[in-house]
Amino acid sequence: MTALSATATVEVPVDPATAFQIFTEEIDLWWIRGPINFFDAARATAMQIEPGVGGRLLEVYSLPDDVLVLATITDWEPGVRFAYRSSVDDTETEITFAAHDDGTRVTVVQALVPGGEKAFYFWANVIHWVPRWIARRDAAPSTPRELDRLAVGLYYEDPAAAARWLHTVFGLDSWGRIPAEGTTPSWIELNVGNCSLLLFRRTDERPPQHDHTTWIYVDDLDAHFAHTQESGAKILSEIHQHGYRRYETEDLEGHHWTFAQARPTQ
């Protein structure tokens, strides 16, 4: 059964008006361009929020006027709150900005509309990108942080516990947050420089060579797939899309590889 709502909160060291401005006007700077953070990661070039009631939340692609409308804004009070109705699921979301101590508490409440069935409750993962951006905002370049073309996916029985261990023991960090004890986020992404380390839940008994997957982003996924197939490699899954276009294959000793379509900005 789909949960009726989900709430996520962070505190940031700026006043509510500034927090609101950063959240809305600088979303393309704080939004992490990870492998699974877009509906169409192969074409996405930007995230954008159009101000005011009737404005849109957009996933922007490379061609003029080529966008995915994620939502339409239904309420807009700068420095206080804004709300939107999603176009990609059956939820309504309200983001509030309240003065708290010497900063602002930002709270996101995403709720299933009456009679709704589909909900993508992603804000618990995403909201933590905002304070991370604010912490480096004054010294960071005013261009989005792009990921490199190599990512590694690791499989664990308990990905959240693994993330905490990798953070504590190896010093690996995240542009979002390290999952707390007792939490089970829908995805976990650690970062090494501009590379992603994706942690997935182990769903079967994998032999040693299958306990990880290396991801590589290529300019022309279709041509790459055709070449791999013609060369006789074992194809585990043909090109498919779930936020990102990719296919899976196996090398001569059974290691798994994922090849994904690079975005125009990569």
Side-chain angles (χ1 to χ4, degrees):
M1 180 177 178
T2 302
L4 296 180
S5 67
T7 300
T9 302
V10 293
E11 296 178 5
V12 295
V14 295
D15 62 87
T18 302
F20 185 96
Q21 178 186 359
I22 290 172
F23 194 106
T24 57
E25 294 181 15
E26 299 180 14
I27 186 171
D28 194 41
L29 295 175
W30 60 256
W31 191 273
I32 301 300
R33 301 188 175 205
I36 51 181
N37 300 340
F38 294 97
F39 281 88
D40 192 345
R43 298 195 299 137
T45 60
M47 293 290 291
Q48 182 181 347
I49 296 178
E50 298 175 337
V53 173
R56 302 171 300 169
L57 276 68
L58 302 174
E59 186 170 293
V60 181
Y61 304 134
S62 56
L63 298 176
D65 300 321
D66 185 11
V67 300
L68 172 63
V69 179
L70 302 175
T72 300
I73 294 173
T74 56
D75 195 0
W76 185 266
E77 298 180 56
V80 179
R81 66 192 293 270
F82 75 98
Y84 64 78
R85 174 64 165 90
S86 174
S87 304
V88 295
D89 67 6
D90 303 321
T91 64
E92 293 179 332
T93 300
E94 180 185 56
I95 299 96
T96 57
F97 304 80
H100 179 73
D101 293 337
D102 293 328
T104 299
R105 175 174 289 161
V106 183
T107 302
V108 180
V109 179
Q110 189 176 4
L112 199 66
V113 300
E117 298 180 353
K118 182 171 61 175
F120 302 133
Y121 292 131
F122 60 87
W123 277 109
N125 290 68
V126 170
I127 190 66
H128 299 275
W129 299 343
V130 179
R132 285 298 185 101
W133 163 245
I134 290 176
R136 65 185 186 89
R137 178 173 176 252
D138 290 340
S142 57
T143 54
R145 184 184 228 172
E146 272 294 353
L147 291 181
D148 289 337
R149 292 189 178 217
L150 176 68
V152 176
L154 300 178
Y155 294 81
Y156 294 94
E157 292 183 6
D158 188 339
R164 290 191 294 272
W165 192 93
L166 292 169
H167 173 67
T168 301
V169 179
F170 291 162
L172 302 185
D173 209 349
S174 171
W175 291 344
R177 64 168 176 170
I178 303 299
E181 188 79 33
T183 62
T184 55
S186 54
W187 80 83
I188 301 172
E189 181 179 346
L190 304 181
N191 304 101
V192 182
N194 278 4
C195 290
S196 285
L197 184 64
L198 308 171
L199 307 188
F200 300 108
R201 184 171 300 279
R202 185 190 298 274
T203 57
D204 55 17
E205 291 299 324
R206 294 170 177 264
Q209 68 268 37
H210 293 176
D211 67 358
H212 69 280
T213 301
T214 302
W215 292 41
I216 295 181
Y217 297 85
V218 297
D219 288 327
D220 189 335
L221 186 67
D222 297 278
H224 194 278
F225 173 77
H227 177 76
T228 300
Q229 195 170 43
E230 290 167 3
S231 299
K234 181 179 179 180
I235 303 298
L236 301 175
S237 65
E238 297 191 355
I239 293 176
H240 55 290
Q241 179 157 349
H242 180 69
Y244 43 91
R245 289 186 75 229
R246 84 280 192 191
Y247 75 91
E248 286 81 24
T249 185
E250 191 175 272
D251 68 18
L252 74 171
E253 292 193 7
H255 297 94
H256 288 187
W257 295 75
T258 295
F259 290 94
Q261 177 64 52
R263 291 187 296 279
T265 53
Q266 279 184 294

